[in-house]
Amino acid sequence: MEIISRFVLFAILVSAVPAFPIDVSHSLSSRGAVVISRLEGFDFKTQGSNSLELTTLIEGSTWALSGILGLHGTGATNLNRGWGYRGYEGVHARLQVEFPFSTSSSSIRAGWGGGSGAFFSRYRDTDLLFFYPSVCTFVFLDYATTSPRIRIRYLAPFEWYFRKDLTTSFSFGLSIGVVYTWTVLPSKEGR
Amino acid sequence: MNTQPSLRSFLSITALLLSLPFLSCSIDPDPGERYAIVYGVAKYVEPANALTYSADDALAVGELLHTRGYPLSNLFVRTDTEATKTNLLSDIEAIATKAKPDSLFLFYFSGHGVQWLHNDGSYHEYIFLYDPVSTLSNGGIEDSELMQLIHRIPSKRKVVLLDSCNSGGFIGEFPGVDALPPDYQGNKIDYLKAARKAFVQYFANVEEGDIPYTEAIVIAAGGSQELTFEADYDSSGVPIAHGLFTYYLLQTPRSADRNHDGWITTLEAYHYIRDQIEKNWNRYLDSEYIFLPRISGGPLDLVLF
């Protein structure tokens, strides 16, 4: 019952949105990244990382806010010279704000943004949990599809992690996702 | 007409980018120069404190390390009456003068360990070397004292392996909040509680206690409130004749190499030993006999041998 009530509430909110110049969208995306880490006294090493993210987007004509929930997994580094950095996995959340470069209607829309994240991770092969926040910046490209409600989003993020167990940790990568817009304003139908 | 050079450039750049991972220098996990202190005490002054297999544990681990590349000149194995605090200080000094920052240092101990409540309400853990006088100040080594001792060795890569009761208390609490409670009894792993604690810990001013991850990776046989055991046989009648932690540690070269690179890391060893104790010991015994190995948090994984 609770789930149904929430769905009804969501439907009411979404149906009310056309009265205001905003869109509400959801996206599911997959992100691949290279994480670069360093502990004091040791060298930089790279780790491959993947994440799956569910995003809620609230978009105005010149801005958008997004809230992200995701799962992440980062592999261990190589063991060159007898040591490496551990892999880890966990859950994360981000709040982001984004701005399109241009508001003109086009099948391609680009923009940039930034935000802040919170990560709960577990070192692989252990039960040891740790927390760290992050800040990120990104550029994105939205490609329109034949459906006015659906677009493909490419996103190139750079993220800096404030990990207390490492001196330096940051990542860059590429994300691809499908965005479904619940509300489609008449002025944006040609997008 | 102009597309030909562009296409060639594109293909060249693509090929270069694709080949970069293969052009990078080859990976060699060899830890290089390595040192080890291996102590085992089965015979204590009071006969009631005697253990059966701790000295054999140390001898077997010493043999394992030697066969896995630790030169005899860098390997200090002592048992029973030789495994004293005086000798430990002397062995540490000997290594401290030779080891370099890139050397690997390993300390192994098998014997008695305890956890005591101090007057200020804090718990402190000890391991017990052979002590001819049998007083706490002579034979017992407190967690913080062991940290000070190994700190004298200039290596950045250190591992401490403890096959003794309550040894999980030697592990520094930061970073990484253990979802395994210090008195694990079978199924009490609370990730939500650990996540809350990890969040608070991030913003707290963390005091480095015990052996911090920046000093050494500690793999302890059991939690800070757990007893650990030696055994004659396992549940299926196979002879063990070692401390359980050490018995499975000795199996790691042939059984724990999950990435098949020929080297055993701290995480591979920990994962294998823990898995075997859970499967072959904890599953068959009452909760008072259950224990699980613990490992330090922190971002590093080190090749052991």
Side-chain angles (χ1 to χ4, degrees):
Chain A
M1 278 305 286
E2 194 180 349
I3 292 170
I4 294 171
S5 304
R6 285 181 184 176
F7 182 77
V8 169
L9 180 64
F10 176 73
I12 291 168
L13 288 174
V14 165
S15 61
V17 161
F20 305 96
I22 58 171
D23 283 345
V24 176
S25 308
H26 279 102
S27 83
L28 189 64
S29 59
S30 171
R31 176 189 291 208
V34 175
V35 179
I36 298 174
S37 305
R38 186 176 76 86
L39 176 65
E40 192 172 352
F42 292 84
D43 298 332
F44 282 100
K45 283 194 175 183
T46 57
Q47 300 171 269
S49 180
N50 288 294
S51 51
L52 189 66
E53 298 182 333
L54 180 66
T55 305
T56 301
L57 275 159
I58 298 172
E59 298 173 284
S61 55
T62 58
W63 56 271
L65 286 175
S66 55
I68 295 168
L69 289 174
L71 303 169
H72 62 269
T74 301
T77 66
N78 66 53
L79 291 168
N80 195 32
R81 299 174 65 202
W83 65 273
Y85 294 120
R86 292 176 179 178
Y88 50 93
E89 59 219 346
V91 296
H92 62 271
R94 264 192 225 98
L95 275 176
Q96 296 177 167
V97 59
E98 60 189 61
F99 307 97
F101 290 134
S102 161
T103 55
S104 62
S105 294
S106 155
S107 61
I108 298 177
R109 194 177 67 143
W112 68 281
S116 182
F119 289 69
F120 285 97
S121 299
R122 179 183 71 161
Y123 296 114
R124 278 197 178 153
D125 296 325
T126 75
D127 291 301
L128 296 156
L129 304 189
F130 60 106
F131 168 83
Y132 53 100
S134 73
V135 290
C136 69
T137 184
F138 57 87
V139 291
F140 66 86
L141 270 179
D142 282 352
Y143 281 87
T145 64
T146 49
S147 164
R149 289 184 182 276
I150 296 173
R151 62 189 195 269
I152 307 295
R153 166 166 284 204
Y154 295 95
L155 192 136
F158 172 85
E159 190 153 24
W160 187 275
Y161 306 105
F162 297 99
R163 280 179 61 172
K164 273 194 168 178
D165 60 337
L166 285 168
T167 314
T168 306
S169 181
F170 61 91
S171 75
F172 54 87
L174 193 66
S175 158
I176 182 168
V178 178
V179 184
Y180 182 87
T181 303
W182 297 90
T183 53
V184 180
L185 293 175
S187 63
K188 292 185 178 177
E189 278 178 349
R191 217 169 36 185
Chain B
M1 292 295 282
N2 291 332
T3 56
Q4 287 276 349
S6 299
L7 185 63
R8 267 205 301 273
S9 304
F10 173 76
L11 289 174
S12 305
I13 291 167
T14 305
L16 180 66
L17 288 173
L18 289 174
S19 63
L20 275 178
F22 304 101
L23 292 175
S24 60
C25 55
S26 60
I27 305 303
D28 182 8
D30 190 331
E33 189 179 60
R34 55 202 105 160
Y35 298 86
I37 291 176
V38 178
Y39 277 33
V41 184
K43 183 173 150 188
Y44 287 91
V45 171
E46 293 91 351
N49 289 336
L51 292 164
T52 309
Y53 299 116
S54 294
D56 294 340
D57 286 349
L59 294 173
V61 169
E63 179 65 26
L64 167 72
L65 296 179
H66 178 51
T67 57
R68 299 286 296 187
Y70 287 67
L72 283 175
S73 57
N74 294 354
L75 192 50
F76 297 78
V77 181
R78 296 185 191 273
T79 59
D80 291 335
T81 55
E82 286 292 305
T84 61
K85 199 166 170 180
T86 310
N87 282 337
L88 178 62
L89 290 172
S90 149
D91 291 344
I92 282 180
E93 285 308 318
I95 291 176
T97 56
K98 293 199 291 181
K100 300 178 187 69
D102 284 339
S103 307
L104 172 67
F105 168 70
L106 186 149
F107 174 76
Y108 168 90
F109 172 74
S110 177
H112 277 302
V114 297
Q115 181 187 58
W116 279 330
L117 180 62
H118 282 211
N119 289 335
D120 63 359
S122 61
Y123 285 100
H124 293 251
E125 290 76 25
Y126 296 79
I127 53 172
F128 285 91
L129 303 184
Y130 182 80
D131 170 14
V133 185
S134 187
T135 64
L136 178 62
S137 59
N138 282 342
I141 297 181
E142 197 178 340
D143 40 16
S144 56
E145 189 182 1
L146 182 61
M147 199 278 282
Q148 296 296 335
L149 288 174
I150 63 173
H151 185 67
R152 296 183 193 184
I153 294 169
S155 171
K156 289 179 298 188
R157 288 185 273 149
K158 297 174 195 167
V159 179
V160 173
L161 304 175
L162 300 173
D163 190 354
S164 54
C165 294
N166 307 112
S167 47
F170 280 76
I171 299 173
E173 283 192 10
F174 179 82
V177 175
D178 207 336
L180 269 180
D183 58 345
Y184 174 71
Q185 289 178 0
N187 55 5
K188 293 193 304 177
I189 301 180
D190 191 341
Y191 287 109
L192 205 57
K193 190 175 170 187
R196 276 202 304 269
K197 199 172 167 189
F199 180 77
V200 172
Q201 192 191 57
Y202 183 86
F203 298 100
N205 210 354
V206 178
E207 285 183 28
E208 293 282 350
D210 307 317
I211 301 178
Y213 77 102
T214 47
E215 190 62 47
I217 293 177
V218 181
I219 307 180
S224 62
Q225 292 172 27
E226 290 167 6
L227 303 179
T228 62
F229 299 91
E230 51 184 18
D232 300 325
Y233 300 95
D234 75 3
S235 55
S236 52
V238 175
I240 288 181
H242 282 294
L244 283 158
F245 175 84
T246 302
Y247 176 69
Y248 293 116
L249 172 68
L250 296 170
Q251 294 179 0
T252 55
R254 64 176 185 276
S255 305
D257 185 13
R258 291 193 296 167
N259 61 357
H260 307 290
D261 64 352
W263 298 91
I264 303 300
T265 70
T266 52
L267 276 178
E268 284 176 328
Y270 165 74
H271 188 266
Y272 176 76
I273 298 167
R274 176 185 153 140
D275 198 37
Q276 295 304 309
I277 288 175
E278 186 78 325
K279 270 187 205 161
N280 300 320
W281 179 264
N282 290 349
R283 190 177 291 177
Y284 299 99
L285 293 162
D286 296 335
S287 60
E288 63 191 293
Y289 296 107
I290 282 176
F291 67 99
L292 272 187
R294 305 296 201 280
I295 190 168
S296 303
L300 280 182
D301 189 16
L302 300 177
V303 170
L304 279 174
F305 39 71

